Amino acid sequence: MTAHHEITAHAKLVEEVATTVQGVPGVAFLRPGLADRLRSAPARPTPGTGGARPAGVRMTRPDGEGPWHVEIHVVALRRARTLDVARLVRSAVEHRLDSLVPAQQTPRVTVTVTGLV
């Protein structure tokens, strides 16, 4: 597999995870990063074009072959219990990655609720 293909595949996985998280009940949005706060709305790339990675999702494989380490930062809705939101996000991400890359080891998913709206 070429380096470009690996980067593209990784970017697509990150986008899939971000889309999954945004569909979880109780999630208001993924926590924006500093670059997202500074960038103007028209300058943002459209999803699926391989632009900047979605804010609030970080996926790494420390040894290159082991399970994915997925860090997710979300802002939750006040009406939802944050513990329930975090559990639902973790479960949804684990299931989505299992359907996308079934031969891989179970990912280690960490969810942090960084705020409420």
Side-chain angles (χ1 to χ4, degrees):
M1 190 180 295
T2 67
H4 175 72
H5 181 69
E6 288 177 14
I7 292 169
T8 303
H10 179 262
K12 287 182 181 181
L13 277 177
V14 170
E15 285 182 20
E16 287 288 336
V17 168
T19 300
T20 299
V21 170
Q22 291 168 340
V24 172
V27 172
F29 51 87
L30 288 161
R31 182 204 68 194
L34 180 60
D36 295 311
R37 291 178 183 168
L38 296 175
R39 191 175 17 205
S40 67
R44 289 188 179 143
T46 52
T49 61
R53 69 181 173 89
V57 176
R58 181 171 178 233
M59 291 181 63
T60 59
R61 290 175 93 180
D63 62 5
E65 295 296 321
W68 284 105
H69 291 203
V70 184
E71 297 174 44
I72 303 191
H73 296 267
V74 298
V75 174
L77 299 173
R78 281 193 196 281
R79 62 177 162 72
R81 285 186 45 200
T82 54
L83 178 61
D84 293 339
V85 172
R87 286 178 177 165
L88 287 170
V89 167
R90 186 179 70 216
S91 178
V93 168
E94 288 172 347
H95 286 98
R96 185 65 181 142
L97 284 175
D98 187 47
S99 70
L100 292 171
V101 283
Q104 299 291 327
Q105 298 174 1
T106 303
R108 193 181 107 215
V109 179
T110 304
V111 180
T112 303
V113 176
T114 61
L116 299 171
V117 291

